[in-house]
Amino acid sequence: LRRSSAAAPVLAVERFVRTTESSWSRDEADLAAADLALIEADEGPCAWVHAGRFVVYEAARRGAEALASIVEARALDPFDVRTLYFRGNLRRLLGDAPGAREDLVRVLDRRPDTLAAAEDLVALHLEAGAPDRALAVVEALVAADPASASSKPVRQLRQRTEVRVVRRARAAA
């Protein structure tokens, strides 16, 4: 038997991993997005391809393209909580606090044990001067996952929030 000297074709998952596991500069992001476009050409419209494109553009600090990619991912799979979190986080970074708050609340409605969404929502409430709401988010997180209450990230989140509550109470007195 004669073995083929041709290399095996690159699989979609290999392209996806290669593009999303790297840090991309602004210029290299276009190359990664083109690689993701090849996946979409092979596989058809996929939410995960657009989520990958979001990761690439967000890492390259290209907010408008990242937002367009995550909006497309949400349109293709509106039930994906991860893309909802990504959109909420990006909205927060772009200064859309009400939109970010809405998305993060929806993430926590669907997955109340999502620490990253809780941290971002707490930060939004603290920035808005509502530490009581921030503390309520922490309490809901602990209620959703009681085992997490003793974890370092949750303890730190609770401590930061409680310090702000105390500072606000002192300032009001």
Side-chain angles (χ1 to χ4, degrees), residues 55-130:
V55 170
V56 169
Y57 285 140
E58 197 272 333
R61 304 289 187 251
R62 291 169 60 172
E65 288 117 329
L67 184 59
S69 295
I70 206 64
V71 165
E72 184 65 27
R74 296 281 312 139
L76 291 168
D77 187 0
F79 299 108
D80 186 5
V81 176
R82 182 186 55 222
T83 58
L84 183 60
Y85 168 72
F86 285 163
R87 186 178 70 182
N89 189 25
L90 183 61
R91 283 178 162 179
R92 180 173 172 246
L93 293 173
L94 294 175
D96 179 11
R101 190 174 301 110
E102 178 183 315
D103 284 347
L104 295 171
V105 166
R106 287 178 58 205
V107 168
L108 292 170
D109 284 345
R110 294 177 185 178
R111 294 283 314 267
D113 60 341
T114 308
L115 176 62
E119 287 176 325
D120 288 346
L121 188 56
V122 164
L124 278 170
H125 287 313
L126 291 176
E127 289 167 4

